């Protein structure tokens, strides 16, 4: 324990943000809905298909978020509800069956089909869980059909992954009470990162390591009282609860960002699996050393710089912790769409107590605060990034943090570089071409 | 229910956003659930706008459902007015809010703001983006434009409104510049250009113009009809895309205003006619081209392709059904049946079956063509970020004609270069793996057909191939054929073999088929 405790020295301000007041606002939220999770989830789950039951808006959102990926015959689509579906002229369930039959006939390689609920389907109370049950029976044993909601009224961005994984939990086989203790990594990680973690656990002697989601439905792990799980992502509240309901035990840890976070995360497993401290230190030392050395180079560019997080993915708190402790940045405001205190219990005390925490959003007021604060870097969505740049504020667009490999020792410097690059660019470009803040009319004219 | 992966058009409220974002001093309050703000990034990213779209969303959530959402909407309207101080406001519902029936119109009017508030009815489950834009623009004109007395045109310079350019329009920014210059050289003053760059106050004074120029019928057709009805303004309907159409446009404007077209036509207004006649262009003759996109750009492109570049149009169609009749007529005049569909798989099937030598289409067709390894140029929305360029690149007018020539011929010239590379690929200096290409990873060396793609077209080709076997020498001979006609040659040969009950294709079969189909 003491090895990682060495890293967790109390910050200058005792207690950090553990008991800090949280600014909660209600107003316009400039965030994605949970449907967006499909864009990365379908890359991870190789025999799954995601069928959104929604409107043209839903289809348009996914194609906007997926960019060019949409053309590689991706494993997602939208069943667009039309006037006749809403007016009761056709039986929506019959229509859905027809669409699913057509889809599965076209894609015989699909083993797992998710019916993904949207705002329109939730508002008209289309019972997708019953539909999933019915279709599962019909297409058994070739295809399992499950359901979750990625609607904007219920989920924000990465919460779509939470809802999806929570829907998978009841599908996991029950591990007997006397089964050997297994370690479950929860959260869709890029394969390269997942493999790195598996190698580290194997080197510590933890042999039985599984992942949720699995790459294929046939590899879906079992779960039981002897399952110990580590959350790789901070946005998995419902999934964690579903696993706990089946007897699994969550290992409390920092999230694996940076040398410190990754060490603590690995250490939680080491302790739970009785790995001795010497072995643990020997195993993590090379990776931690590499991460620390690589971060040192980026630190010079980030140290002392202030940063402002708009809410997006729930990654904000752990990232602010990493940037503040390992790179010397100063978090001014850390906004998150949802603050899960239990899962962030180790993170919050490590944030400087001067940090303003905010949960939820009133985007216009938050923009006012950001303009007043004039941070060196603002982390925000693509709807805000260019407008803030035009006002002379340097930004880092946040979705990239969800799509890129950023966890673990060997991605720590890549993660830091994502924040350093916009500032590096700002410094490189000649001051002579910095656009003056234009009036709205000029903005229109220049477009 | 319609099974969709790609949609050519967004929902109608995105059309309304395109109008609001094009204008200044207009604010849109959209009753919509959390998440619908995704549409902002179309404007901030694809168009690289340096300001947020003037749209306030109520972003209601599950726990707000019930009477609370109505309260949210009212608060949003009041706050947006206080913060942005617009000259006028439009209010409406997105697809989900349409289902909860909060009546944005009634609520907004009840607030009693001191500015015009225009409610929009945009049926999301029936209509799409272009319709939403057209309807929003029509409502703005209907609600704001004042009827004014005009002095006779003979006593002064005539004036017109330019109608239709919006945010997220394909080359709208530069088309407006080009057509404004052209009209001014003809001797016509521009009263108002709208929606792009206009304010609600500008919409009010649109009635002062003598006539309207409808640049994009999809967006401005309805507003022009409204103005004709209210203010008696006729419309110029020729869309000036291409050299010939630009001449027609000039003559139509001159016929309407009594101005003399001669001064504008003097000198060399466009390089395109000469470029197309120069001997270097001879190899363009009869190039088989497939055209798809929005109706206006497709009709114009088909004319340019056949009359001004000497291509053979082998297929054409559009995704916006509202203009199907016009596209069908244009197709019929070329002896074709138009493909009217918003299903990209149908478009892909049509292109795969026709194996054209050039595809002119939207971003979607660009990707289909890339997969099928056919040269392609973008002529229509939807487009991606690279088709909102920094440089001046109109589609309309004389400079537009120059741009069209360069843009369409470029992939073909590059195609010839690639052909040469192929011809010499057995030379020691050209390894098969080398091959540079404009097609981004689809060049000679890296040009393995996408292994991961499971398109309908490639599946079909694979099926045919599995029934009929290509002998190794025939396969080798096929590879000597330029890549951009190879797909057609393969298909024709297989069809020929199938029709003649042959199980194996040899070199002779390849040339027999060639001779058979060249007749």
């Amino acid at each position: 324990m003491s090895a990682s405790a060495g890293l967790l020295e109390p910050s200058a301000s005792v207690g950090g943000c553990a008991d800090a007041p949280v600014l909660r606002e209600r107003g316009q939220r400039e965030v994605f809905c949970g449907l967006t999770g499909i864009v990365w989830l379908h890359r991870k789950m190789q025999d799954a298909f995601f069928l959104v039951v929604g409107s043209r808006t839903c289809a348009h959102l996914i194609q906007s978020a997926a960019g060019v990926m949409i053309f590689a015959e991706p494993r997602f689509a939208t069943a667009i509800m039309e006037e006749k579906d809403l007016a009761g002229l056709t039986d929506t369930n019959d229509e859905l069956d027809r669409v699913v039959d057509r889809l599965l006939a076209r894609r015989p390689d699909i083993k797992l089909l998710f019916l993904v609920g949207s705002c329109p389907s939730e508002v008209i109370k289309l019972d997708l869980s019953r539909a999933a049950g019915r279709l599962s029976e019909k297409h058994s044993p070739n295809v399992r059909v499950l359901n979750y909601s990625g609607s904007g009224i219920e989920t924000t961005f990465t919460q779509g992954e939470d809802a999806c994984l929570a829907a998978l939990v009841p599908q996991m086989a029950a591990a007997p009470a006397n089964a050997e203790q297994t370690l479950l990594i929860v959260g869709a990680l890029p394969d390269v990162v997942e493999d790195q973690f598996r190698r580290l656990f194997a080197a510590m002697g933890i042999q039985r390591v599984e992942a949720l989601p699995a790459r294929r439905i046939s590899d879906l792990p079992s779960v039981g009282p002897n399952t110990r799980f580590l959350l790789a992502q901070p946005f998995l509240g419902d999934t964690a609860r579903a696993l706990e309901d089946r007897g699994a035990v969550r290992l409390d840890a920092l999230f694996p960002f940076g040398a410190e976070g990754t060490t603590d995360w690995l250490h939680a497993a080491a302790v739970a699996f009785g790995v001795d401290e010497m072995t643990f230190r020997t195993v993590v030392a090379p990776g931690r050393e590499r991460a620390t050395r690589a971060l040192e180079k980026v630190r010079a560019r980030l140290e002392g710089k202030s940063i402002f997080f708009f809410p997006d993915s729930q990654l904000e708190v752990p990232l602010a912790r990493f940037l503040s402790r390992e790179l010397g940045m100063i978090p001014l405001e850390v906004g998150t769409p949802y603050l899960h205190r239990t899962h962030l219990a180790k993170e919050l005390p490590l944030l400087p107590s001067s940090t303003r925490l905010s949960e939820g959003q009133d985007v216009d007021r938050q923009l006012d605060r950001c303009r007043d604060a004039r941070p060196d870097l603002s982390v925000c969505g693509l709807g805000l990034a260019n407008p803030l740049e035009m006002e002379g504020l340097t930004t880092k667009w946040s979705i990239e943090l969800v799509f890129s490999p950023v966890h673990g020792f060997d991605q720590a410097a890549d993660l830091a570089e994502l924040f350093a690059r916009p500032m590096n660019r700002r410094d490189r470009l000649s001051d002579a071409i910095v656009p003056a803040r234009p009036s709205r009319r000029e903005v229109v004219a220049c477009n | 229910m319609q099974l969709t992966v790609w949609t050519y058009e967004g929902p109608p409220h995105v059309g309304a956003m395109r109008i609001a974002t094009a204008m200044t001093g207009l604010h849109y309050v959209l009753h919509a659930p959390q998440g619908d703000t995704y549409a902002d990034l179309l404007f901030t990213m694809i168009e690289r706008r340096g300001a947020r779209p003037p749209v306030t969303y109520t972003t209601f959530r599950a726990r707000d459902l019930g009477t609370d959402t109505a309260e949210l909407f009212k608060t949003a309207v009041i706050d947006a007015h206080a913060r942005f101080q617009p000259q006028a406001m439009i209010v409406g519902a997105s697809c989900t809010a349409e289902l909860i029936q909060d009546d944005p119109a009634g609520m907004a009017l009840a607030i009693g703001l001191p500015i015009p508030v225009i409610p929009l009815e945009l049926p999301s489950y029936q209509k799409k983006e272009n319709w939403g834009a057209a309807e929003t623009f029509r409502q703005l004109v209907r609600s704001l434009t004042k009827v004014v007395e005009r002095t006779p045109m003979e006593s002064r310079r005539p004036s017109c409104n330019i109608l239709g350019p919006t945010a997220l329009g394909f080359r709208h920014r530069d088309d407006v510049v080009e057509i404004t210059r052209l009209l001014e050289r003809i001797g016509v003053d521009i009263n108002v250009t709208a929606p792009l760059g206009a304010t609600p106050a500008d919409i009010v004074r649109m009635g002062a113009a003598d006539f309207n120029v409808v640049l994009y019928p999809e967006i401005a057709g309805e507003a022009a009809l409204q103005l004709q009805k209210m203010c008696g303004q006729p419309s110029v309907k020729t869309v000036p895309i291409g050299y010939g159409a630009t001449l027609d446009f000039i003559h139509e404007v001159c016929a309407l205003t009594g101005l003399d077209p001669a001064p504008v036509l003097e000198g060399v207004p466009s390089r395109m006619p000469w470029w197309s006649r120069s001997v270097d262009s001879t190899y363009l003759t009869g190039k088989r081209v497939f055209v798809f996109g929005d109706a206006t750009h497709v009709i114009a492109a088909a004319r340019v392709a056949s009359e001004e570049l000497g291509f053979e149009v082998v297929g054409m169609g559009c995704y916006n059904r509202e203009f199907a009749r016009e596209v069908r007529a244009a197709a019929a005049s070329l002896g074709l049946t138009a493909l009217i569909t918003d299903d990209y798989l149908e478009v892909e099937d049509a292109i795969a079956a026709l194996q054209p030598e050039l595809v002119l289409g939207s971003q979607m067709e660009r990707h289909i063509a890339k997969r099928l390894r056919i040269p392609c140029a973008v002529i229509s929305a939807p487009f991606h970020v690279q088709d909102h360029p920094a440089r001046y690149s109109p589609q309309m007018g004389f400079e537009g004609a120059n741009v069209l020539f360069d843009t369409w011929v470029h992939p073909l010239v590059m195609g010839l270069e690639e052909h040469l590379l192929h011809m010499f690929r057995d030379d020691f200096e050209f390894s098969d793996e080398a091959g540079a290409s404009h097609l981004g990873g689809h060049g000679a060396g890296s040009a393995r057909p996408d292994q991961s793609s499971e398109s309908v077209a490639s599946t079909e080709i694979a099926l045919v191939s599995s029934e009929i076997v290509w002998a190794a020498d025939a396969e080798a001979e096929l590879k000597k054929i330029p890549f951009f006609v190879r797909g057609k040659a393969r298909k024709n040969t297989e069809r020929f073999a199938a029709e003649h009950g042959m199980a194996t294709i040899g070199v002779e079969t390849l040339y027999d088929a060639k001779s058979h189909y060249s007749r």
Side-chain angles (χ1 to χ4, degrees):
Chain A
M1 195 72 186
S2 57
S4 81
L7 275 160
L8 295 187
E9 280 154 19
S11 52
S13 47
V14 178
C17 275
D19 304 308
V22 177
L23 177 64
R24 289 197 176 78
E25 282 186 309
R26 174 171 162 167
Q28 177 176 323
R29 289 174 155 230
E30 187 87 13
V31 288
F32 281 125
C33 66
L35 294 180
T36 327
I38 292 170
V39 177
W40 67 86
L41 281 172
H42 88 286
R43 300 314 307 163
K44 185 71 190 178
M45 300 154 83
Q46 297 166 10
D47 52 4
F49 194 100
F50 294 78
L51 179 66
V52 177
V53 182
S55 63
R56 180 167 302 282
T57 312
C58 306
H60 198 232
L61 159 88
I62 294 177
Q63 95 185 23
S64 307
V68 293
M69 213 194 272
I70 199 127
F71 301 100
E73 187 94 3
R75 282 172 287 102
F76 54 81
T78 308
I80 296 184
M81 294 192 287
E82 296 164 300
E83 191 72 9
K84 58 182 197 285
D85 299 307
L86 299 172
L89 295 178
T90 50
D91 185 319
T92 318
N93 286 305
D94 291 348
E95 278 291 291
L96 189 57
D97 290 9
R98 182 181 62 79
V99 166
V100 168
D101 288 351
R102 192 180 151 207
L103 178 70
L104 293 178
R106 205 181 130 81
R107 300 298 300 268
D109 51 321
I110 297 307
K111 301 285 176 248
L112 174 61
L113 174 68
F114 284 104
L115 301 179
V116 188
S118 66
C119 299
S121 72
E122 297 292 330
V123 165
I124 65 165
K125 303 208 183 323
L126 182 57
D127 192 342
L128 288 182
S129 75
R130 255 183 61 197
R134 183 180 67 237
L135 287 161
S136 232
E137 214 163 283
K138 182 174 177 185
H139 295 281
S140 163
N142 296 332
V143 186
R144 234 184 284 190
V145 185
L146 301 178
N147 141 260
Y148 72 90
S149 171
S151 73
I153 57 176
E154 288 157 316
T155 58
T156 304
F157 195 29
T158 48
Q159 280 180 309
E161 174 171 334
D162 188 25
C164 173
L165 301 191
L168 275 173
V169 173
Q171 301 295 313
M172 298 165 82
N178 60 354
E180 203 185 322
Q181 187 167 285
T182 60
L183 178 64
L184 184 64
I185 304 171
V186 184
L189 292 171
D191 288 350
V192 56
V193 177
E194 187 187 317
D195 292 345
Q196 286 170 10
F197 285 148
R198 283 174 180 277
R199 281 198 298 273
L200 288 168
F201 287 128
M204 286 181 217
I206 305 177
Q207 294 306 333
R208 294 173 54 85
V209 179
E210 297 187 285
L212 181 70
R215 293 176 203 187
R216 301 193 157 269
I217 184 67
S218 53
D219 299 334
L220 192 66
S222 54
V223 62
N226 285 311
T227 305
R228 300 289 173 270
F229 69 93
L230 272 174
L231 294 179
Q233 303 280 19
F235 46 73
L236 298 171
D238 288 351
T239 307
R241 197 176 317 116
L243 287 168
E244 282 163 352
D245 286 349
R246 297 198 57 184
V249 178
R250 183 178 67 88
L251 304 178
D252 197 24
L254 291 180
F255 289 94
F257 300 112
E260 180 183 48
T262 305
T263 305
D264 189 63
W265 191 77
L266 294 169
H267 192 254
V271 169
F273 284 74
V275 177
D276 72 82
E277 278 304 318
M278 272 311 288
T279 310
F280 173 74
R281 285 190 210 188
T282 314
V283 170
V284 299
R288 199 167 99 186
E289 177 59 25
R290 275 201 305 276
T292 314
R293 224 179 316 122
L295 285 172
E296 214 41 56
K297 291 181 197 153
V298 196
R299 188 178 174 108
R301 278 187 273 145
L302 292 179
E303 196 158 25
K305 299 285 196 297
S306 60
I307 187 163
F308 190 109
F309 283 88
F310 285 82
D312 189 54
S313 61
Q314 298 184 44
L315 293 173
E316 296 84 3
V317 169
L319 291 177
R321 179 264 302 160
F322 161 65
L323 292 168
S324 134
R325 295 192 37 106
E326 299 190 44
L327 294 151
M329 292 191 85
I330 303 159
L332 300 177
E333 174 164 338
V334 178
T336 176
Y338 179 69
L339 189 71
H340 197 302
R341 284 206 171 268
T342 317
H343 292 178
L344 296 176
K346 291 190 86 171
E347 298 277 357
L348 289 169
L350 298 183
L351 282 182
S353 56
S354 58
T355 311
R356 185 197 294 121
L357 284 178
S358 66
E359 184 182 17
Q361 190 176 32
D362 181 323
V363 72
D364 286 313
R365 282 192 209 156
Q366 195 168 31
L367 282 165
D368 289 344
R369 290 200 298 277
C370 181
R371 288 172 184 129
D372 286 346
R374 303 286 309 168
D376 293 306
L377 191 65
S378 303
V379 184
C380 61
L382 291 173
L384 301 179
N386 271 337
L388 284 175
E389 292 278 351
M390 190 63 106
E391 295 182 21
L393 289 167
T394 303
T395 62
K396 164 74 215 116
W397 47 284
S398 50
I399 337 171
E400 197 176 9
L401 301 163
V402 175
F403 289 113
S404 312
V406 293
H407 297 72
F409 290 131
D410 291 309
Q411 285 67 237
D414 301 341
L415 176 57
E417 181 61 30
L418 289 178
F419 295 91
R421 196 175 300 135
M423 294 201 279
N424 181 6
R425 180 162 188 79
R426 178 194 57 197
D427 294 342
R428 279 167 185 261
L429 297 181
S430 157
D431 275 350
I433 60 162
V434 173
R437 185 175 173 178
S439 70
R440 250 199 68 75
R441 181 173 271 279
E442 281 163 339
V443 170
V444 168
C446 90
N447 282 290
Chain B
M1 278 184 197
Q2 188 200 356
L3 184 60
T4 319
V5 176
W6 169 266
T7 93
Y8 282 97
E9 291 184 73
H13 71 258
V14 169
M17 283 183 73
R18 289 178 56 187
I19 303 294
T21 308
M23 293 177 60
T24 50
L26 180 71
H27 200 85
Y28 185 16
V29 177
L30 181 61
H31 202 18
Q34 167 175 272
D36 279 5
T37 51
Y38 81 88
D40 282 358
L41 66 89
L42 303 174
F43 300 93
T44 58
M45 296 306 290
I46 295 177
E47 279 203 321
R48 295 181 216 252
R49 282 181 178 263
R52 294 169 64 213
V55 183
T56 294
Y57 305 78
T58 54
T59 53
F60 57 83
R61 310 182 69 200
R63 62 161 184 260
D64 303 320
L65 291 177
T67 52
D68 212 4
T69 53
E71 223 24 69
L72 264 182
F73 179 80
K74 282 189 208 162
T75 312
V77 170
I78 291 165
D79 287 354
H81 177 258
R83 179 176 283 268
F84 300 104
Q85 296 286 317
Q87 295 173 16
M89 210 182 256
I90 51 179
V91 297
S94 82
C95 51
T96 304
E98 195 182 328
L99 298 172
I100 60 176
Q101 299 178 330
D102 270 341
D103 184 25
M107 288 189 295
L109 297 177
I111 294 167
L113 292 180
I115 55 166
V117 176
I118 301 152
L120 300 173
E121 290 286 341
L122 306 175
S124 313
Y125 297 91
Q126 295 170 2
K127 305 289 191 180
K128 291 183 267 186
E129 179 178 329
N130 277 325
W131 187 90
E135 171 65 8
T136 303
F137 190 29
R138 186 185 75 89
Q139 287 294 352
L140 280 173
V141 164
R142 197 184 69 94
S143 310
L144 298 178
T145 304
K146 292 253 187 322
V147 180
V148 290
E149 203 67 38
R150 290 189 294 268
T151 54
M153 220 193 296
E154 296 75 39
S155 56
R156 54 179 172 80
R157 270 169 72 99
S159 77
C160 73
N161 300 314
I162 295 179
L163 305 185
T166 63
L168 271 189
F170 181 68
R171 306 294 165 86
H172 287 195
R173 176 196 68 191
D174 297 341
D175 283 347
V176 167
V177 173
E178 188 67 19
I179 296 309
T180 301
R181 282 182 198 154
L182 183 60
L183 286 164
E184 282 170 351
R185 280 178 56 212
I186 295 171
V188 177
D189 288 336
I190 311 301
N191 179 47
V192 171
T193 299
L196 193 63
T199 63
D202 292 330
I203 305 289
V204 172
R205 56 185 189 83
M206 278 171 62
D210 297 301
F211 65 101
N212 291 310
V213 169
V214 179
L215 287 193
Y216 309 100
E218 274 90 346
I219 289 152
E222 292 297 315
L225 283 176
Q226 186 76 40
L227 285 166
Q228 168 123 44
K229 207 163 71 182
M230 286 164 49
C231 309
Q233 294 164 334
S235 291
V236 170
K237 294 224 171 61
T238 306
V239 178
I241 299 178
Y243 185 73
T246 301
L247 295 184
D248 291 351
F249 174 82
I250 292 167
H251 289 300
E252 192 179 346
V253 170
C254 290
L256 197 63
T257 54
L259 294 166
D260 179 10
V264 187
L265 302 178
E266 270 170 21
V268 186
S270 170
R271 294 183 196 95
M272 199 251 223
W274 164 242
W275 250 240
S276 191
R277 277 161 184 78
S278 76
V279 292
D280 190 48
S281 298
T282 312
Y283 80 97
L284 300 176
T285 312
K287 284 269 181 213
R288 305 171 69 259
V289 56
F290 182 90
V291 191
F292 197 86
D294 70 41
T296 298
H297 287 90
V298 161
I299 292 167
R303 176 173 172 187
V304 173
S306 59
E307 294 177 15
E308 298 173 26
L309 291 170
F311 293 153
E312 187 192 348
V313 180
V314 294
M316 63 187 283
C318 71
Y319 56 76
N320 50 339
R321 285 173 195 281
E322 294 91 339
F323 287 77
R325 181 193 296 216
E326 287 83 345
V327 174
R328 286 204 181 95
S333 73
L334 292 168
L336 300 168
T337 305
L339 175 67
I340 312 296
T341 180
D342 59 0
D343 182 348
Y344 80 100
L345 290 175
E346 279 187 49
V347 179
E348 182 168 283
D349 287 348
I351 295 174
L354 288 164
Q355 287 288 332
E357 292 161 90
L358 176 68
V359 171
L360 300 175
S362 68
Q363 170 74 1
M364 193 60 214
E365 283 68 45
R366 198 169 73 84
H367 283 269
I368 292 172
K370 193 168 172 179
R371 178 183 290 169
L372 299 175
R373 308 196 60 221
I374 300 170
C376 178
V378 173
I379 59 158
S380 158
F383 59 93
H384 205 56
V385 62
Q386 69 270 41
D387 281 301
H388 185 69
R391 66 176 184 277
Y392 184 58
S393 45
Q395 302 288 288
M396 292 184 173
F398 292 127
E399 183 57 24
N402 294 339
V403 169
L404 293 185
F405 183 92
D406 290 346
T407 312
W408 299 5
V409 171
H410 177 86
L412 293 174
V413 172
M414 298 301 278
L416 273 189
E417 284 174 4
E418 195 151 305
H419 176 202
L420 291 176
L421 264 182
H422 265 250
M423 280 176 54
F424 296 114
R425 69 182 170 161
D426 291 331
D427 275 23
F428 67 97
E429 281 171 306
F430 294 97
S431 85
D432 199 22
E433 302 305 314
S437 172
H438 66 295
L439 289 173
H442 283 247
S446 55
R448 307 269 170 274
D450 189 358
Q451 298 292 332
S452 65
S453 85
E454 298 150 67
S455 73
V456 178
S458 58
T459 320
E460 273 179 9
I461 289 169
L463 278 179
V464 175
S465 309
S466 67
E467 288 157 14
I468 300 169
V469 183
W470 282 76
D473 56 347
E475 191 77 53
E477 195 71 12
L478 183 70
K479 289 203 176 114
K480 295 176 189 164
I481 296 172
F483 77 93
F484 47 85
V485 288
R486 197 181 305 148
K488 183 158 183 69
R490 177 185 283 276
K491 240 181 142 92
N492 281 348
T493 309
E494 284 169 359
R495 199 193 316 159
F496 179 83
E499 280 167 9
H500 290 77
M502 304 163 87
T504 312
I505 292 170
V507 175
E508 288 305 310
T509 326
L510 188 63
Y511 288 109
D512 285 345
K514 181 172 189 279
S515 126
H516 176 80
Y517 286 108
S518 66
R519 262 177 271 148

